[in-house]
């Protein structure tokens, strides 16, 4: 009989100062379109299936199954899915820390691939999803510990630095309104609607939002709708009148006026320019294949 005893030394690291805000399962379909948005917290995306691109700071990076994306707070981003192989991912919203890497200091977005640790990562992610879905006794404690284990496993894989983020610096009211606009921009929204949704005085909301974001809440709403309309102009053949309605504009004329003011071109000019660019890229691709 053999008996091996492994001594457990005192931990040199305290519990991570993190809080799991949400777990989201998402799958793209034909009528689902993402729009550029930001979070006042860190978000981690685990690509479970499919292919697409991750868009941030005017860059587009291809992503596929087993890719992992870490988005630090206040980093504007969105995702595009491949129509033939739609993206499926699980997103974790994490408050209390940001990631930095010695390989790319100052980067707000980090890309990894967890193919080598696929079984381990998927196990902890699935456990998080199940705990949140079932919400059995003490599930809050379980998901907190699962999250810390997952983060520590990630840090073993790559030399991350964790930076604490202060929630005091972030206006919860502004963060709420930005997220509300992201979720409801297709609806009929005005300043009164936003103030009522956030239980905020509309004059305080207008002042604090512009001070924090740089534009008024309504201008932010219009810019959000314009960004979404650009995606539809690029990826669909919908009539411009339909796109105006889908993205929440009260009329096609107001949509055209707002689009020209924000993008410096009309919706038709924007669509034609993008289609011309795509045709040019296809032509270049065919020429390269022939050569």
């Amino acid at each position: 009989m053999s008996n091996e005893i492994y001594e457990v030394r005192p931990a040199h690291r305290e519990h991570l100062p993190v809080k799991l805000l949400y777990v989201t399962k998402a799958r793209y379909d034909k009528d689902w379109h993402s729009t550029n948005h930001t979070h006042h917290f860190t978000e981690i995306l685990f690509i479970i299936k499919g292919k697409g691109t991750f868009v941030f700071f005017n860059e587009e990076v291809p992503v596929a199954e087993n890719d992992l994306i870490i988005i630090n707070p206040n980093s504007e981003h969105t995702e595009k899915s491949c129509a033939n192989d739609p993206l499926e991912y699980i997103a974790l919203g994490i408050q209390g820390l940001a990631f930095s890497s010695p390989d790319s200091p100052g980067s707000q977005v980090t890309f990894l691939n967890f193919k080598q640790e696929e079984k381990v990562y998927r196990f902890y992610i699935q456990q998080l999803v199940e705990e949140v879905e079932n919400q059995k006794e003490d599930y809050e404690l379980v998901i907190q510990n699962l999250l810390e284990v997952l983060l520590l496993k990630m840090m073993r894989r790559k030399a991350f630095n964790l930076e604490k983020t202060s929630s005091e610096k972030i206006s919860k009211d502004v963060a709420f309104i930005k997220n509300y606009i992201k979720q409801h921009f297709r609806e009929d929204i005005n300043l009164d609607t936003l103030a009522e949704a956030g239980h905020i005085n509309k004059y305080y909301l207008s002042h604090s939002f512009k001070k924090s974001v740089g534009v008024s809440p309504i201008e932010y709403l219009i810019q959000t709708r314009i960004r979404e309309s650009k995606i539809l102009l690029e990826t669909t053949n919908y009539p411009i009148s339909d796109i105006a309605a889908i993205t929440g504009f009260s009329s096609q004329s107001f949509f055209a006026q707002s689009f020209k003011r924000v993008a410096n071109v009309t919706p038709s000019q924007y669509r034609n320019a993008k289609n011309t660019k795509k045709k040019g890229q296809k032509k270049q691709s065919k020429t390269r294949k022939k050569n």
Side-chain angles (χ1 to χ4, degrees), residues 14-276:
E14 296 182 355
H15 284 283
L16 299 179
V18 296
K19 178 182 179 182
L20 185 63
L21 300 177
Y22 61 79
V23 179
T24 300
K25 293 194 298 183
R27 183 183 188 278
Y28 279 72
D29 51 39
K30 292 181 180 179
D31 58 355
W32 198 101
H33 300 279
S34 178
T35 184
N36 278 28
H37 59 280
T38 62
H39 305 290
H40 65 281
F41 46 81
T42 294
E43 186 174 62
I44 301 180
L45 298 182
F46 296 88
I47 308 299
I48 304 303
K49 288 183 181 179
K51 297 178 181 178
T53 58
F54 183 84
V55 185
F56 68 107
F57 300 119
N58 297 320
E59 293 187 50
E60 289 197 26
V61 177
V63 293
E65 184 175 350
N66 294 326
D67 281 341
L68 183 154
I69 311 160
I70 303 170
I71 308 110
N72 277 339
N74 305 312
S75 302
E76 191 169 273
H77 63 280
T78 189
E79 309 86 38
K80 293 182 182 180
S81 178
C82 175
N84 298 326
D85 194 3
L87 280 177
E88 290 186 35
Y89 64 79
I90 293 175
L92 308 181
I94 304 171
Q95 188 177 63
L97 59 81
F99 287 79
S100 65
S101 171
D103 295 341
S104 53
S107 175
Q108 289 295 95
V109 180
T110 302
F111 297 87
L112 295 174
N113 184 278
F114 60 98
K115 177 63 178 177
Q116 293 180 347
E117 299 88 359
E118 179 181 358
K119 291 183 179 179
V120 175
Y121 279 43
R122 285 182 184 258
F123 171 78
Y124 286 109
I125 295 167
Q126 189 58 42
Q127 288 295 307
L128 280 169
V129 172
E130 290 180 6
E131 288 292 332
V132 172
E133 286 179 340
N134 298 325
Q135 296 191 12
K136 294 182 179 180
E137 185 178 0
D138 294 327
Y139 84 96
E140 301 95 338
L141 183 61
V142 174
I143 62 173
Q144 178 66 24
N145 284 295
L146 284 170
L147 175 63
E148 288 195 50
V149 172
L150 181 60
L151 293 175
L152 291 169
K153 291 279 187 181
M154 289 168 55
M155 290 167 64
R156 283 181 178 175
R157 162 78 192 281
K158 193 176 179 75
F160 283 115
N161 297 318
L162 295 181
E163 302 173 357
K164 293 183 180 179
T165 57
S166 174
S167 59
E168 294 178 1
K169 295 180 181 179
I170 301 163
S171 168
K172 292 183 179 180
D173 293 335
V174 170
F176 174 86
I177 295 303
K178 288 175 71 175
N179 191 58
Y180 184 90
I181 289 173
K182 172 196 165 187
Q183 298 294 333
H184 300 275
F185 69 89
R186 296 179 179 88
E187 302 170 12
D188 184 14
I189 295 176
N190 55 36
L191 188 60
D192 289 325
T193 307
L194 296 174
E196 183 177 351
H199 305 286
I200 309 166
N201 178 281
K202 68 178 181 180
Y203 301 107
Y204 163 77
L205 168 61
S206 183
H207 172 75
S208 60
F209 194 99
K210 188 168 185 178
K211 184 177 180 181
S212 175
V213 181
V215 296
S216 69
I218 298 305
E219 180 61 19
Y220 185 84
L221 169 64
I222 290 172
Q223 291 178 4
T224 301
R225 288 170 170 170
I226 295 298
R227 284 194 294 266
E228 175 70 7
S229 71
K230 286 181 177 180
I231 295 174
L232 294 174
L233 288 167
E234 289 181 44
T235 60
T236 74
N237 294 319
Y238 296 162
I240 290 176
S241 58
D242 288 356
I243 292 176
I246 289 170
T247 52
F249 285 94
S250 56
S251 67
Q252 183 176 343
S253 61
F254 182 53
F255 168 55
Q257 177 188 350
S258 301
F259 195 101
K260 179 70 180 293
R261 178 175 59 81
V262 174
N264 294 320
V265 292
T266 67
S268 296
Q269 289 171 335
Y270 183 87
R271 171 175 271 173
N272 291 337
K274 291 296 179 181
N275 287 340
T276 300

